[in-house]
């Protein structure tokens, strides 16, 4: 056992295993992490070496999910931090989300099109960014920003998912153009019930 540990000394095999699994997600596919055996083979090690770092396939899957979610969060956060004052922040956030997803299709499917429950992420800035998106969503609905944020996420997910699965379609506009139109429309149009309450008109 000691000899096997020394064989991998000097290598960050855990990081290599996660990177190998992530690389196998380069194209849309069944929503699952590649097998432990195929990941080990990609790293040039025996399958048993994986178990030095991950007790089970579920643990490796969680590590991949955490790594990919962290990457997504960082891209959206960086886009917001470097955007100009004249930029609509919700458009910036949506464009960054969409761009990351289209560049990491298999990982995106694993994160958001899997039937399995997502584990708690280790992305430290994740909750802070989510709170910021909710706050920005007040531009869509000041009275229900969380619901508005979920609606925005639904829009962004729809743009991504359809383009991943319907590659043969001519959408007539880029994903960024679609995002701009939809965010702008949501900001312009307030919910009917709020408009009605302001005008004294009530809808059944």
């Amino acid at each position: 056992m000691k000899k096997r540990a020394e064989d991998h000394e000097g290598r960050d095999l855990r990081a290599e295993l996660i990177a190998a699994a992530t690389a196998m997600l380069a194209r849309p596919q069944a929503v699952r992490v590649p097998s432990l055996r195929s990941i080990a083979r990609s790293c040039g090690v025996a399958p048993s070496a994986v178990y030095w770092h991950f007790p089970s396939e579920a643990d490796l899957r969680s590590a991949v999910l955490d790594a990919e979610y962290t990457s997504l969060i960082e891209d959206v956060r960086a886009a917001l931090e470097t955007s100009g004052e004249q930029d609509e922040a919700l458009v910036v956030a949506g464009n960054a989300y969409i761009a990351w997803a289209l560049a990491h299709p298999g990982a995106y499917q694993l994160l958001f099109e899997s039937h399995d429950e997502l584990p708690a992420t280790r992305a430290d800035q994740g909750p802070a960014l989510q709170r910021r998106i909710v706050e920005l969503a007040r531009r869509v609905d000041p009275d229900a920003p969380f619901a508005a944020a979920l609606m925005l996420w639904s829009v962004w997910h729809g743009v991504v998912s359809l383009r991943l699965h319907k590659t043969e379609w001519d959408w007539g506009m880029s994903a960024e153009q679609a995002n701009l139109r939809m965010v702008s429309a949501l900001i312009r149009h307030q919910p009917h019930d709020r408009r009605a309450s302001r005008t004294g008109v009530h809808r059944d």
Side-chain angles (χ1 to χ4, degrees):
M1 184 175 292
K2 183 177 179 181
K3 184 179 185 303
R4 287 185 179 181
E6 290 174 350
D7 289 342
H8 303 300
E9 189 175 352
R11 294 180 65 180
D12 188 352
L13 184 54
R14 185 181 190 280
E16 287 184 42
L17 292 166
I18 294 174
T22 300
M24 293 178 183
L25 297 170
R27 303 174 71 87
Q29 55 191 282
V31 186
R32 60 181 177 82
V33 172
S35 70
L36 292 180
R37 185 174 296 278
S38 64
I39 296 169
R41 184 165 55 247
S42 177
C43 290
V45 297
S48 58
V50 177
Y51 292 100
W52 283 92
H53 303 276
F54 301 100
S56 68
E57 186 168 334
D59 290 295
L60 174 56
R61 182 181 186 281
S62 293
V64 172
L65 284 168
D66 286 338
E68 290 306 287
Y69 187 64
T70 297
S71 174
L72 168 60
I73 291 293
E74 288 178 347
D75 275 17
V76 176
R77 179 182 55 80
L80 285 170
E81 289 182 352
T82 58
S83 61
E85 292 184 3
Q86 302 304 314
D87 296 327
E88 170 55 58
L90 289 174
V91 174
V92 171
N95 283 344
Y97 180 97
I98 292 167
W100 185 93
L102 295 179
H104 305 83
Y108 183 85
Q109 287 184 282
L110 186 67
L111 283 170
F112 300 116
E113 294 185 347
S114 169
H115 293 297
D116 298 326
E117 184 178 352
L118 275 175
T121 179
R122 290 190 289 266
D124 294 336
Q125 68 274 39
L129 179 61
Q130 291 160 8
R131 287 193 297 270
R132 185 175 181 189
I133 296 297
V134 171
E135 186 61 31
L136 291 173
R138 292 184 183 279
R139 294 265 287 135
V140 174
D141 189 342
D143 298 331
F146 182 74
L150 290 179
M151 182 166 55
L152 284 161
W153 182 25
S154 299
V155 168
W156 297 335
H157 176 74
V159 171
V160 170
S161 185
L162 286 171
R163 279 166 171 74
L164 290 182
H165 295 291
K166 304 296 181 183
T167 56
E168 73 280 7
W169 284 24
D170 179 6
W171 295 98
M173 67 182 73
S174 68
E176 291 78 10
Q177 289 170 328
N179 178 48
L180 175 61
R181 290 190 182 191
M182 288 186 287
V183 171
S184 298
L186 289 172
I187 290 174
R188 284 197 305 270
H189 298 288
Q190 299 174 354
H192 289 299
D193 56 350
R194 184 150 56 86
R195 289 208 306 266
S197 66
R198 289 181 176 180
T199 59
V201 176
H202 297 281
R203 298 177 183 270
D204 295 329

